[in-house]
Amino acid sequence: MEVVLTIAGSDSSAGAGIQQDLKTITAHGCYGATVITSLTSQNTLGVQASLAVPAGVVASQINAVLTDLEPAAIKIGMIPNKEVAEAIVDELKPYLQQHSVPVVYDPVMVSTSGYCLMHSDAIQYVTTHLFPLCTLITPNLPEAEQLGDTLAPYAYLLKGGHAEGDVMTDVLHLPDGTKTAFSSERITTRNLHGTGCTLSSAIASRLALGCDIPDAVSLAKTFVTAAIRRSVDINIGGGNGPILVD
């Protein structure tokens, strides 16, 4: 069984973050290992508070996993501050120099409800030091606007869910200039909490199972679309409800 490591924040309502990552990884037949970067108090109505895990504890979690479980892929989500970003890079860089492990980074910056999840001092460090370690970066449109030209040299999936219209299009940009569009109809539902976490974890799982980047993205998109359809009429919480993976 392939191990997929997720390095991300905890969501107390379990619709996003570490909890949703684990559900997604398990649904793909992989074994999920975790490193928690932040504890958030949140539900379907939004994020009420967050507490960054000390950088030394983040580093020790990563070390514990990498020295024993041999992940076949790594997904990175919420990085709350520069110190945690430095701990992640310091632990992953030497490991990745010796092991060919794909890394998928979902740059979680602001929650859907507008809560800031990443300090500004972390952004420049991440673009300079973490991006070069990544196999694929998965920003949404607002995140891509904030990151600007720093994405250009890397493989990234520009997620189009924030755009207007009945058709949503994600565009995969590869360093050689190749672009591949993945379009799907917009599904009308209030239950979209955790879609970005689900997509990035699904991509990481597919990479762990041996897919190349375009196939991993395509299969992950199909997986997320099915999860959204499954969740249209569920009633969990009073706000932006979760999507149900299977």
Side-chain angles (χ1 to χ4, degrees):
M1 177 177 286
E2 303 294 350
V3 175
V4 178
L5 168 60
T6 170
I7 303 172
S10 170
D11 173 3
S12 50
S13 68
I18 285 283
Q19 290 85 346
Q20 185 72 353
D21 292 345
L22 283 176
K23 296 171 193 175
T24 302
I25 293 165
T26 301
H28 282 82
C30 298
Y31 180 86
T34 65
V35 169
I36 299 176
T37 60
S38 179
L39 304 174
T40 71
S41 302
Q42 66 175 292
N43 52 30
T44 64
L45 300 174
V47 180
Q48 289 78 51
S50 65
L51 175 67
V53 174
V57 177
V58 173
S60 67
Q61 291 178 79
I62 297 173
N63 180 264
V65 174
L66 296 185
T67 56
D68 185 35
L69 299 188
E70 299 183 4
I74 299 171
K75 174 262 170 85
I76 304 173
M78 179 182 175
I79 299 176
N81 55 41
K82 183 181 178 182
E83 291 74 24
V84 169
E86 289 173 336
I88 293 171
V89 170
D90 288 347
E91 292 296 326
L92 289 187
K93 189 173 182 178
Y95 185 83
L96 294 173
Q97 288 173 341
Q98 298 187 22
H99 302 83
S100 180
V101 178
V103 176
V104 178
Y105 174 43
D106 180 18
V108 180
M109 296 180 177
V110 180
S111 72
T112 302
S113 60
Y115 191 96
C116 181
L117 297 172
M118 184 179 191
H119 290 181
S120 58
D121 66 350
I123 296 175
Q124 183 174 357
Y125 183 86
V126 163
T127 58
T128 303
H129 299 280
L130 181 60
F131 277 15
L133 304 182
C134 296
T135 306
L136 182 68
I137 305 163
T138 63
N140 59 31
L141 289 173
E143 291 161 350
E145 289 177 4
Q146 190 166 355
L147 293 168
D149 293 339
T150 60
L151 288 166
Y154 307 106
Y156 67 97
L157 178 68
L158 181 59
K159 299 179 294 189
H162 285 76
E164 299 292 331
D166 296 329
V167 176
M168 298 184 301
T169 301
D170 296 356
V171 181
L172 174 63
H173 298 251
L174 296 180
D176 65 2
T178 302
K179 297 181 182 180
T180 306
F182 302 86
S183 297
S184 59
E185 65 174 304
R186 186 180 299 276
I187 301 170
T188 302
T189 176
R190 69 184 181 95
N191 299 320
L192 295 170
H193 184 50
T195 51
C197 301
T198 306
L199 180 63
S200 55
S201 294
I203 294 171
S205 298
R206 287 295 181 179
L207 291 173
L209 293 170
C211 292
D212 61 16
I213 294 176
D215 283 346
V217 170
S218 178
L219 291 167
K221 285 279 296 177
T222 299
F223 178 86
V224 172
T225 299
I228 295 172
R229 290 188 185 282
R230 193 181 301 115
S231 309
V232 167
D233 296 322
I234 66 167
N235 186 21
I236 298 176
N240 181 21
I243 63 174
L244 302 180
V245 302
D246 185 11

PDB file of all heavy atoms in Angstrom, residues 44-75:
ATOM      1  N   THR A  44     -18.874  25.025   9.172  1.00  0.00           N
ATOM      2  CA  THR A  44     -19.350  25.369   7.836  1.00  0.00           C
ATOM      3  C   THR A  44     -19.628  26.859   7.681  1.00  0.00           C
ATOM      4  O   THR A  44     -19.793  27.342   6.563  1.00  0.00           O
ATOM      5  CB  THR A  44     -20.627  24.583   7.490  1.00  0.00           C
ATOM      6  OG1 THR A  44     -21.683  24.975   8.381  1.00  0.00           O
ATOM      7  CG2 THR A  44     -20.400  23.086   7.609  1.00  0.00           C
ATOM      8  N   LEU A  45     -19.669  27.584   8.797  1.00  0.00           N
ATOM      9  CA  LEU A  45     -19.936  29.020   8.759  1.00  0.00           C
ATOM     10  C   LEU A  45     -18.657  29.848   8.632  1.00  0.00           C
ATOM     11  O   LEU A  45     -18.722  31.042   8.339  1.00  0.00           O
ATOM     12  CB  LEU A  45     -20.700  29.448  10.018  1.00  0.00           C
ATOM     13  CG  LEU A  45     -22.057  28.761  10.228  1.00  0.00           C
ATOM     14  CD1 LEU A  45     -22.650  29.163  11.569  1.00  0.00           C
ATOM     15  CD2 LEU A  45     -23.019  29.106   9.088  1.00  0.00           C
ATOM     16  N   GLY A  46     -17.499  29.242   8.886  1.00  0.00           N
ATOM     17  CA  GLY A  46     -16.251  29.959   8.741  1.00  0.00           C
ATOM     18  C   GLY A  46     -15.223  29.591   9.791  1.00  0.00           C
ATOM     19  O   GLY A  46     -15.448  28.706  10.621  1.00  0.00           O
ATOM     20  N   VAL A  47     -14.087  30.278   9.746  1.00  0.00           N
ATOM     21  CA  VAL A  47     -12.991  30.050  10.690  1.00  0.00           C
ATOM     22  C   VAL A  47     -13.098  31.066  11.817  1.00  0.00           C
ATOM     23  O   VAL A  47     -13.152  32.270  11.575  1.00  0.00           O
ATOM     24  CB  VAL A  47     -11.621  30.175   9.995  1.00  0.00           C
ATOM     25  CG1 VAL A  47     -10.495  29.947  10.987  1.00  0.00           C
ATOM     26  CG2 VAL A  47     -11.521  29.189   8.829  1.00  0.00           C
ATOM     27  N   GLN A  48     -13.124  30.570  13.052  1.00  0.00           N
ATOM     28  CA  GLN A  48     -13.210  31.461  14.197  1.00  0.00           C
ATOM     29  C   GLN A  48     -11.842  31.791  14.801  1.00  0.00           C
ATOM     30  O   GLN A  48     -11.630  32.872  15.331  1.00  0.00           O
ATOM     31  CB  GLN A  48     -14.102  30.843  15.284  1.00  0.00           C
ATOM     32  CG  GLN A  48     -15.590  30.801  14.947  1.00  0.00           C
ATOM     33  CD  GLN A  48     -15.956  29.680  13.993  1.00  0.00           C
ATOM     34  OE1 GLN A  48     -15.594  28.531  14.226  1.00  0.00           O
ATOM     35  NE2 GLN A  48     -16.668  30.006  12.932  1.00  0.00           N
ATOM     36  N   ALA A  49     -10.910  30.846  14.730  1.00  0.00           N
ATOM     37  CA  ALA A  49      -9.585  31.063  15.304  1.00  0.00           C
ATOM     38  C   ALA A  49      -8.620  30.035  14.733  1.00  0.00           C
ATOM     39  O   ALA A  49      -9.030  28.998  14.213  1.00  0.00           O
ATOM     40  CB  ALA A  49      -9.635  30.946  16.831  1.00  0.00           C
ATOM     41  N   SER A  50      -7.316  30.336  14.825  1.00  0.00           N
ATOM     42  CA  SER A  50      -6.304  29.367  14.419  1.00  0.00           C
ATOM     43  C   SER A  50      -5.062  29.555  15.272  1.00  0.00           C
ATOM     44  O   SER A  50      -4.763  30.660  15.733  1.00  0.00           O
ATOM     45  CB  SER A  50      -5.945  29.514  12.932  1.00  0.00           C
ATOM     46  OG  SER A  50      -5.326  30.759  12.676  1.00  0.00           O
ATOM     47  N   LEU A  51      -4.354  28.472  15.485  1.00  0.00           N
ATOM     48  CA  LEU A  51      -3.136  28.477  16.291  1.00  0.00           C
ATOM     49  C   LEU A  51      -2.069  27.685  15.549  1.00  0.00           C
ATOM     50  O   LEU A  51      -2.239  26.495  15.290  1.00  0.00           O
ATOM     51  CB  LEU A  51      -3.397  27.844  17.659  1.00  0.00           C
ATOM     52  CG  LEU A  51      -2.170  27.669  18.570  1.00  0.00           C
ATOM     53  CD1 LEU A  51      -1.635  29.036  19.005  1.00  0.00           C
ATOM     54  CD2 LEU A  51      -2.525  26.815  19.782  1.00  0.00           C
ATOM     55  N   ALA A  52      -0.972  28.359  15.205  1.00  0.00           N
ATOM     56  CA  ALA A  52       0.113  27.686  14.500  1.00  0.00           C
ATOM     57  C   ALA A  52       0.815  26.699  15.430  1.00  0.00           C
ATOM     58  O   ALA A  52       1.084  27.005  16.595  1.00  0.00           O
ATOM     59  CB  ALA A  52       1.118  28.705  13.978  1.00  0.00           C
ATOM     60  N   VAL A  53       1.100  25.515  14.924  1.00  0.00           N
ATOM     61  CA  VAL A  53       1.890  24.540  15.671  1.00  0.00           C
ATOM     62  C   VAL A  53       3.342  25.032  15.687  1.00  0.00           C
ATOM     63  O   VAL A  53       3.849  25.506  14.660  1.00  0.00           O
ATOM     64  CB  VAL A  53       1.792  23.150  15.011  1.00  0.00           C
ATOM     65  CG1 VAL A  53       2.731  22.156  15.689  1.00  0.00           C
ATOM     66  CG2 VAL A  53       0.350  22.644  15.062  1.00  0.00           C
ATOM     67  N   PRO A  54       4.033  24.953  16.825  1.00  0.00           N
ATOM     68  CA  PRO A  54       5.430  25.397  16.858  1.00  0.00           C
ATOM     69  C   PRO A  54       6.270  24.711  15.783  1.00  0.00           C
ATOM     70  O   PRO A  54       6.101  23.513  15.510  1.00  0.00           O
ATOM     71  CB  PRO A  54       5.887  24.992  18.265  1.00  0.00           C
ATOM     72  CG  PRO A  54       4.633  24.999  19.076  1.00  0.00           C
ATOM     73  CD  PRO A  54       3.558  24.518  18.152  1.00  0.00           C
ATOM     74  N   ALA A  55       7.161  25.486  15.173  1.00  0.00           N
ATOM     75  CA  ALA A  55       7.949  24.979  14.049  1.00  0.00           C
ATOM     76  C   ALA A  55       8.735  23.725  14.415  1.00  0.00           C
ATOM     77  O   ALA A  55       8.857  22.800  13.604  1.00  0.00           O
ATOM     78  CB  ALA A  55       8.893  26.063  13.546  1.00  0.00           C
ATOM     79  N   GLY A  56       9.269  23.673  15.633  1.00  0.00           N
ATOM     80  CA  GLY A  56      10.018  22.495  16.054  1.00  0.00           C
ATOM     81  C   GLY A  56       9.176  21.248  16.113  1.00  0.00           C
ATOM     82  O   GLY A  56       9.655  20.139  15.815  1.00  0.00           O
ATOM     83  N   VAL A  57       7.908  21.409  16.479  1.00  0.00           N
ATOM     84  CA  VAL A  57       6.996  20.265  16.524  1.00  0.00           C
ATOM     85  C   VAL A  57       6.637  19.823  15.106  1.00  0.00           C
ATOM     86  O   VAL A  57       6.531  18.624  14.823  1.00  0.00           O
ATOM     87  CB  VAL A  57       5.734  20.608  17.338  1.00  0.00           C
ATOM     88  CG1 VAL A  57       4.750  19.441  17.330  1.00  0.00           C
ATOM     89  CG2 VAL A  57       6.104  20.985  18.764  1.00  0.00           C
ATOM     90  N   VAL A  58       6.447  20.786  14.208  1.00  0.00           N
ATOM     91  CA  VAL A  58       6.204  20.446  12.803  1.00  0.00           C
ATOM     92  C   VAL A  58       7.384  19.659  12.244  1.00  0.00           C
ATOM     93  O   VAL A  58       7.219  18.617  11.596  1.00  0.00           O
ATOM     94  CB  VAL A  58       5.953  21.717  11.965  1.00  0.00           C
ATOM     95  CG1 VAL A  58       5.883  21.374  10.471  1.00  0.00           C
ATOM     96  CG2 VAL A  58       4.664  22.401  12.400  1.00  0.00           C
ATOM     97  N   ALA A  59       8.593  20.142  12.525  1.00  0.00           N
ATOM     98  CA  ALA A  59       9.792  19.460  12.035  1.00  0.00           C
ATOM     99  C   ALA A  59       9.894  18.045  12.580  1.00  0.00           C
ATOM    100  O   ALA A  59      10.228  17.100  11.837  1.00  0.00           O
ATOM    101  CB  ALA A  59      11.040  20.263  12.410  1.00  0.00           C
ATOM    102  N   SER A  60       9.593  17.868  13.856  1.00  0.00           N
ATOM    103  CA  SER A  60       9.708  16.535  14.449  1.00  0.00           C
ATOM    104  C   SER A  60       8.660  15.585  13.897  1.00  0.00           C
ATOM    105  O   SER A  60       8.920  14.389  13.744  1.00  0.00           O
ATOM    106  CB  SER A  60       9.603  16.617  15.976  1.00  0.00           C
ATOM    107  OG  SER A  60       8.307  17.024  16.379  1.00  0.00           O
ATOM    108  N   GLN A  61       7.471  16.104  13.563  1.00  0.00           N
ATOM    109  CA  GLN A  61       6.444  15.255  12.938  1.00  0.00           C
ATOM    110  C   GLN A  61       6.914  14.772  11.569  1.00  0.00           C
ATOM    111  O   GLN A  61       6.774  13.593  11.222  1.00  0.00           O
ATOM    112  CB  GLN A  61       5.142  16.039  12.771  1.00  0.00           C
ATOM    113  CG  GLN A  61       4.408  16.390  14.044  1.00  0.00           C
ATOM    114  CD  GLN A  61       3.159  17.197  13.731  1.00  0.00           C
ATOM    115  OE1 GLN A  61       2.139  16.659  13.338  1.00  0.00           O
ATOM    116  NE2 GLN A  61       3.252  18.515  13.893  1.00  0.00           N
ATOM    117  N   ILE A  62       7.457  15.706  10.774  1.00  0.00           N
ATOM    118  CA  ILE A  62       7.941  15.332   9.438  1.00  0.00           C
ATOM    119  C   ILE A  62       9.049  14.294   9.555  1.00  0.00           C
ATOM    120  O   ILE A  62       9.063  13.283   8.843  1.00  0.00           O
ATOM    121  CB  ILE A  62       8.430  16.571   8.672  1.00  0.00           C
ATOM    122  CG1 ILE A  62       7.288  17.549   8.435  1.00  0.00           C
ATOM    123  CG2 ILE A  62       9.047  16.159   7.335  1.00  0.00           C
ATOM    124  CD1 ILE A  62       7.722  18.874   7.832  1.00  0.00           C
ATOM    125  N   ASN A  63       9.977  14.535  10.447  1.00  0.00           N
ATOM    126  CA  ASN A  63      11.092  13.614  10.632  1.00  0.00           C
ATOM    127  C   ASN A  63      10.606  12.235  11.044  1.00  0.00           C
ATOM    128  O   ASN A  63      11.119  11.214  10.553  1.00  0.00           O
ATOM    129  CB  ASN A  63      12.065  14.176  11.672  1.00  0.00           C
ATOM    130  CG  ASN A  63      13.252  13.270  11.907  1.00  0.00           C
ATOM    131  OD1 ASN A  63      13.269  12.466  12.840  1.00  0.00           O
ATOM    132  ND2 ASN A  63      14.263  13.397  11.054  1.00  0.00           N
ATOM    133  N   ALA A  64       9.613  12.200  11.921  1.00  0.00           N
ATOM    134  CA  ALA A  64       9.085  10.914  12.380  1.00  0.00           C
ATOM    135  C   ALA A  64       8.519  10.099  11.222  1.00  0.00           C
ATOM    136  O   ALA A  64       8.714   8.879  11.136  1.00  0.00           O
ATOM    137  CB  ALA A  64       8.010  11.139  13.450  1.00  0.00           C
ATOM    138  N   VAL A  65       7.819  10.774  10.319  1.00  0.00           N
ATOM    139  CA  VAL A  65       7.228  10.070   9.171  1.00  0.00           C
ATOM    140  C   VAL A  65       8.303   9.653   8.170  1.00  0.00           C
ATOM    141  O   VAL A  65       8.354   8.496   7.728  1.00  0.00           O
ATOM    142  CB  VAL A  65       6.162  10.947   8.490  1.00  0.00           C
ATOM    143  CG1 VAL A  65       5.661  10.271   7.207  1.00  0.00           C
ATOM    144  CG2 VAL A  65       4.997  11.217   9.425  1.00  0.00           C
ATOM    145  N   LEU A  66       9.173  10.587   7.821  1.00  0.00           N
ATOM    146  CA  LEU A  66      10.144  10.324   6.752  1.00  0.00           C
ATOM    147  C   LEU A  66      11.188   9.281   7.128  1.00  0.00           C
ATOM    148  O   LEU A  66      11.766   8.635   6.251  1.00  0.00           O
ATOM    149  CB  LEU A  66      10.844  11.619   6.342  1.00  0.00           C
ATOM    150  CG  LEU A  66       9.960  12.708   5.727  1.00  0.00           C
ATOM    151  CD1 LEU A  66      10.820  13.881   5.271  1.00  0.00           C
ATOM    152  CD2 LEU A  66       9.128  12.179   4.567  1.00  0.00           C
ATOM    153  N   THR A  67      11.443   9.113   8.410  1.00  0.00           N
ATOM    154  CA  THR A  67      12.442   8.130   8.832  1.00  0.00           C
ATOM    155  C   THR A  67      11.860   6.733   9.003  1.00  0.00           C
ATOM    156  O   THR A  67      12.591   5.804   9.358  1.00  0.00           O
ATOM    157  CB  THR A  67      13.097   8.554  10.162  1.00  0.00           C
ATOM    158  OG1 THR A  67      12.078   8.754  11.160  1.00  0.00           O
ATOM    159  CG2 THR A  67      13.916   9.815   9.997  1.00  0.00           C
ATOM    160  N   ASP A  68      10.571   6.579   8.692  1.00  0.00           N
ATOM    161  CA  ASP A  68       9.956   5.269   8.909  1.00  0.00           C
ATOM    162  C   ASP A  68       9.003   4.835   7.801  1.00  0.00           C
ATOM    163  O   ASP A  68       9.049   3.693   7.373  1.00  0.00           O
ATOM    164  CB  ASP A  68       9.215   5.273  10.253  1.00  0.00           C
ATOM    165  CG  ASP A  68       8.642   3.916  10.626  1.00  0.00           C
ATOM    166  OD1 ASP A  68       9.276   2.892  10.301  1.00  0.00           O
ATOM    167  OD2 ASP A  68       7.573   3.869  11.249  1.00  0.00           O
ATOM    168  N   LEU A  69       8.164   5.731   7.313  1.00  0.00           N
ATOM    169  CA  LEU A  69       7.040   5.295   6.468  1.00  0.00           C
ATOM    170  C   LEU A  69       7.278   5.364   4.961  1.00  0.00           C
ATOM    171  O   LEU A  69       6.500   4.820   4.194  1.00  0.00           O
ATOM    172  CB  LEU A  69       5.786   6.116   6.807  1.00  0.00           C
ATOM    173  CG  LEU A  69       5.287   5.999   8.243  1.00  0.00           C
ATOM    174  CD1 LEU A  69       3.937   6.701   8.387  1.00  0.00           C
ATOM    175  CD2 LEU A  69       5.166   4.544   8.695  1.00  0.00           C
ATOM    176  N   GLU A  70       8.287   6.069   4.505  1.00  0.00           N
ATOM    177  CA  GLU A  70       8.637   6.136   3.076  1.00  0.00           C
ATOM    178  C   GLU A  70       7.443   6.517   2.192  1.00  0.00           C
ATOM    179  O   GLU A  70       6.941   5.705   1.408  1.00  0.00           O
ATOM    180  CB  GLU A  70       9.226   4.795   2.607  1.00  0.00           C
ATOM    181  CG  GLU A  70      10.505   4.411   3.332  1.00  0.00           C
ATOM    182  CD  GLU A  70      11.101   3.121   2.804  1.00  0.00           C
ATOM    183  OE1 GLU A  70      10.562   2.566   1.825  1.00  0.00           O
ATOM    184  OE2 GLU A  70      12.120   2.677   3.373  1.00  0.00           O
ATOM    185  N   PRO A  71       6.986   7.753   2.279  1.00  0.00           N
ATOM    186  CA  PRO A  71       5.836   8.170   1.466  1.00  0.00           C
ATOM    187  C   PRO A  71       6.121   8.108  -0.032  1.00  0.00           C
ATOM    188  O   PRO A  71       7.237   8.371  -0.478  1.00  0.00           O
ATOM    189  CB  PRO A  71       5.588   9.611   1.918  1.00  0.00           C
ATOM    190  CG  PRO A  71       6.879  10.059   2.511  1.00  0.00           C
ATOM    191  CD  PRO A  71       7.487   8.838   3.120  1.00  0.00           C
ATOM    192  N   ALA A  72       5.080   7.754  -0.782  1.00  0.00           N
ATOM    193  CA  ALA A  72       5.174   7.729  -2.246  1.00  0.00           C
ATOM    194  C   ALA A  72       4.752   9.062  -2.842  1.00  0.00           C
ATOM    195  O   ALA A  72       4.957   9.299  -4.035  1.00  0.00           O
ATOM    196  CB  ALA A  72       4.294   6.609  -2.804  1.00  0.00           C
ATOM    197  N   ALA A  73       4.140   9.923  -2.036  1.00  0.00           N
ATOM    198  CA  ALA A  73       3.777  11.274  -2.461  1.00  0.00           C
ATOM    199  C   ALA A  73       3.546  12.110  -1.212  1.00  0.00           C
ATOM    200  O   ALA A  73       3.238  11.579  -0.136  1.00  0.00           O
ATOM    201  CB  ALA A  73       2.533  11.286  -3.339  1.00  0.00           C
ATOM    202  N   ILE A  74       3.695  13.426  -1.375  1.00  0.00           N
ATOM    203  CA  ILE A  74       3.501  14.361  -0.267  1.00  0.00           C
ATOM    204  C   ILE A  74       2.572  15.476  -0.734  1.00  0.00           C
ATOM    205  O   ILE A  74       2.769  16.050  -1.810  1.00  0.00           O
ATOM    206  CB  ILE A  74       4.840  14.958   0.196  1.00  0.00           C
ATOM    207  CG1 ILE A  74       5.774  13.854   0.696  1.00  0.00           C
ATOM    208  CG2 ILE A  74       4.620  16.014   1.294  1.00  0.00           C
ATOM    209  CD1 ILE A  74       7.203  14.326   0.960  1.00  0.00           C
ATOM    210  N   LYS A  75       1.543  15.746   0.082  1.00  0.00           N
ATOM    211  CA  LYS A  75       0.666  16.892  -0.168  1.00  0.00           C
ATOM    212  C   LYS A  75       0.912  17.922   0.932  1.00  0.00           C
ATOM    213  O   LYS A  75       1.033  17.583   2.101  1.00  0.00           O
ATOM    214  CB  LYS A  75      -0.808  16.463  -0.146  1.00  0.00           C
ATOM    215  CG  LYS A  75      -1.810  17.638  -0.249  1.00  0.00           C
ATOM    216  CD  LYS A  75      -2.322  18.033   1.128  1.00  0.00           C
ATOM    217  CE  LYS A  75      -3.121  19.328   1.109  1.00  0.00           C
ATOM    218  NZ  LYS A  75      -4.517  19.174   0.770  1.00  0.00           N
TER     219      LYS A  75
END
